[in-house]
Amino acid sequence: MKQRMRTGTGIRGGTRTGIRAAVAAGLALVTVATVSGCAFGRPRVRVPVSFPSPTYSSSYDASASPAYEPTYSPSPTQETYDPDGRSDVRGSSCDFSDSLRQFTYTVSITNPSMSDSFSYDMAVNWMKAKPADGKAYGLHERSITVGPGDTETYTAKYTVNQSSIGQFWFTCEITRAHKTRM
C-alpha cells in the first residue's frame, strides 16, 4: 500500500496559506497596538466631588413582631423539666422469693434539679416474660418526694396470693414515674 502525501501546490493550498498569513499578521498588529496602549481608548470615569453621607435609623417598629410567640417562658430562676421522670429512675435486683411468694425490685430516683424538690408518682410492674404477652403478675404504686440533687432508694414489693407457684419467667418494669414540682 502506498502512502500519499498532500502538498500545498494547488490553488486551494495556496489560498489557505495566504489566509493564514493574513490572520497571523492581523493578530500581531492587534497585539502590538494593545501592548502600546493606543488600540483601545480607556473609558473616562468622573468621580463626584462630594459623596452623600450614609444615613442611619435607630427607630424601632413595634408592629414588626415575630410570627411565633411561645406560650410558656420560664423565668431565669425556674428550671424546665419533663413530667415523665423515668429518665431520673433506675431499677435493680429484680427478684421473686418462693418462700415469701413475693416479687421485689429496688428502685433509685435521682432528682437532677439543684433548686427544686419533686414528687414522683411511681408504678412498677412485674410482667410475664415467656411468652411476653403484656400480662402483669403484679403492680406496685407509690409516691415519693426527692429533694434537690438527692437520691432516694426503696424496694418495691408485690405478694402473690397463690399458695404454690410453679416455674415461670418474669421481668420488672418501671411503667410510670410522673414528676411534679413541689
Side-chain angles (χ1 to χ4, degrees), residues 9-118:
T9 57
I11 296 175
R12 293 179 84 179
T15 305
R16 224 183 263 161
T17 303
I19 292 173
R20 286 184 188 156
V23 169
L27 286 174
L29 282 175
V30 168
T31 303
V32 169
T34 303
V35 170
S36 66
C38 65
F40 305 105
R42 294 184 186 173
R44 294 184 183 227
V45 177
R46 291 192 176 173
V47 179
V49 177
S50 66
F51 291 103
S53 62
T55 58
Y56 298 100
S57 174
S58 63
S59 64
Y60 172 72
D61 186 6
S63 65
S65 63
Y68 169 76
E69 292 186 22
T71 56
Y72 171 74
S73 172
S75 66
T77 59
Q78 185 181 14
E79 298 175 22
T80 59
Y81 74 96
D82 183 2
D84 183 1
R86 285 182 289 181
S87 62
D88 302 347
V89 181
R90 301 286 177 263
S92 62
S93 303
C94 180
D95 199 11
F96 179 78
S97 169
D98 287 326
S99 61
L100 298 174
R101 296 186 324 270
Q102 188 176 63
F103 289 103
T104 56
Y105 193 45
T106 304
V107 178
S108 294
I109 307 166
T110 302
N111 180 354
S113 173
M114 292 300 155
S115 59
D116 294 321
S117 294
F118 288 98

